[in-house]
Every structure is written in structure tokens, then in C-alpha cells.
Amino acid sequence: YIYVNDGTSSQWVEVHSNSAALPGTVVQVVDNIVSSATESYTTVADGVEYQVVSVNITPKFSNSKLFIDASAQVRIINAYGVNSRIKRDGSFIIGNTGYSHAFTYKGDAVNHHTDIKAQGSVISGSTATTTFSYWIVPFAGTGEVVNGRYGMHYIRIMEVAQ
């Protein structure tokens, strides 16, 4: 319920989850956080995409803006760096096959640990459930995804009414 006062009368009005929201209102936030107390690594070959984390969202409104925030802990072994990409239902929205949303360069350092982050936004376009996923791609050598203890991975989607 919300309390409405139009200047002449006041009343409590029931609000339904499918009703309109004021522009700029955060409608919902969903996330997936992956962490572990055990140290392990997943080796990823040069140029190979590896999905680190994903999350589903069912937008409340078809014209909402969806803000995406993602992070992955990686260890760069003999690669020059790591690209990151965000996909929606398997298609690139940030970082395509030739470019990356975020790129971390390690130079000559050995065993370089870092968080690689990406952010962006899209219009929901419908109220159907959609999957957002975060990917890393080593560049010019092998990289590793840290599966716990020294880092975590997450993807967070915030739906904002327009």
C-alpha cells in the first residue's frame, strides 16, 4: 500500500507488482555471487571464451533500463591479458568478437591476479525471462579463472523504471 493525498482527501491505495512505477525507481535487483573457501583454478586457453557467472531476470516492464555490473577474479599466467564480455541470451551486448568491454594487460609479470569488471545498460524490451552472462577470454596465451579463496565472481542486474 501507498498513502496518497491529492490535496483534498487522503487514502491508502493498494499497489500491485504489475502496476506502473515512477521513472527512476529501482524495480528489482537480481544477482549471482559465486565464491568458495577452497582454492582452485580453471585454465582457459588463448582466445577461448569462458563463462564465469550468469543470472536470470524477469523484467517487470518492457521499457525498463537494465543496469549490468559484473566482476571476475582471474590469474593471468602466460597471456598478455584478459578480455571480458557480457552476453544477453547468448548474444553480445558489451564486447563483441573483435573488441572487449574490459581488458586487463599484465605485461611481463608472472602469475598476475586481478579483478576484471564490466558495466553497461540495455532496455529490457520485454517482460520475458532473460539470461545475462559474464565471460572472460585470455589474449595471447593462457589465463585462469580463480574459483575461490582469493576472489569471487558476480553479476548483478538492476531494473530501473523509465
Side-chain angles (χ1 to χ4, degrees), residues 32-100:
N32 185 11
I33 301 169
V34 178
S35 185
S36 170
T38 305
E39 179 183 357
S40 68
Y41 300 88
T42 301
T43 302
V44 184
D46 173 26
V48 174
E49 289 182 327
Y50 179 80
Q51 182 179 310
V52 179
V53 64
S54 67
V55 69
N56 293 328
I57 186 170
T58 304
K60 303 282 186 203
F61 307 104
S62 62
N63 66 338
S64 294
K65 189 165 234 183
L66 304 176
F67 291 90
I68 305 109
D69 179 30
S71 179
Q73 175 65 222
V74 296
R75 180 168 78 173
I76 306 169
I77 302 300
N78 66 0
Y80 283 105
V82 174
N83 292 295
S84 72
R85 299 169 178 165
I86 295 175
K87 293 183 179 183
R88 179 181 188 175
D89 294 327
S91 297
F92 292 106
I93 61 164
I94 299 172
N96 60 28
T97 54
Y99 301 93
S100 174

Side-chain angles (χ1 to χ4, degrees), residues 83-148:
N83 292 295
S84 72
R85 299 169 178 165
I86 295 175
K87 293 183 179 183
R88 179 181 188 175
D89 294 327
S91 297
F92 292 106
I93 61 164
I94 299 172
N96 60 28
T97 54
Y99 301 93
S100 174
H101 177 72
F103 179 77
T104 299
Y105 178 75
K106 83 165 176 74
D108 294 330
V110 176
N111 210 10
H112 182 73
H113 283 256
T114 190
D115 284 319
I116 187 166
K117 299 178 184 297
Q119 296 174 327
S121 65
V122 296
I123 298 299
S124 56
S126 80
T127 56
T129 299
T130 186
T131 301
F132 287 90
S133 51
Y134 192 46
W135 300 71
I136 62 107
V137 184
F139 173 73
T142 352
E144 293 182 331
V145 174
V146 182
N147 296 321

